[in-house]
């Protein structure tokens, strides 16, 4: 998807709304949300310089849709 203002606005609405991503990943995506404080492994920090260098948008989509075994990241495919 193109990085347009409209797409970014919709993504932020999902992240902070229905997706409840901010609970674990933090309001700014830094991995420091209140819900993730006790998780091991810690929630991903989307602001870390290496995160996006080693992952495609498709891989992130897959993790959101199906969850990540061995982590607290549950599948959101049926919700989103």
């Amino acid at each position: 998807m193109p990085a347009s203002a409209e797409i970014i606005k919709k993504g932020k609405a999902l992240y902070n709304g229905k997706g409840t991503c901010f609970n674990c990943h933090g309001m700014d995506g830094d991995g420091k949300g209140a819900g993730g404080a006790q998780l091991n492994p810690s929630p991903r920090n989307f602001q870390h310089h290496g995160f996006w260098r080693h992952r495609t948008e498709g891989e992130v989509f897959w993790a959101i849709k199906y969850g990540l075994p061995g982590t607290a990241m549950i599948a959101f495919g049926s919700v989103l």
Side-chain angles (χ1 to χ4, degrees), residues 31-46:
K32 296 181 181 176
Q38 302 300 319
L39 298 178
N40 186 10
S42 299
R44 295 282 187 189
N45 175 356
F46 301 128

Side-chain angles (χ1 to χ4, degrees), residues 50-75:
F51 178 80
W52 293 104
R53 186 173 8 156
H54 299 291
R55 286 161 195 85
T56 66
E57 290 174 354
E59 289 172 317
V60 174
F61 176 85
W62 192 94
I64 294 168
K65 185 171 182 174
Y66 298 108
L68 293 172
T71 74
M73 179 64 192
I74 63 169

Side-chain angles (χ1 to χ4, degrees), residues 5-17 21:
E6 181 181 344
I7 295 296
I8 291 169
K9 182 178 176 180
K10 287 180 179 182
K12 285 182 179 183
L14 276 174
Y15 183 93
N16 293 316
C21 311

Side-chain angles (χ1 to χ4, degrees), residues 14 18-21 64 76-80:
L14 276 174
K18 189 175 184 178
T20 67
C21 311
I64 294 168
F76 282 89
S78 63
V79 176
L80 302 176

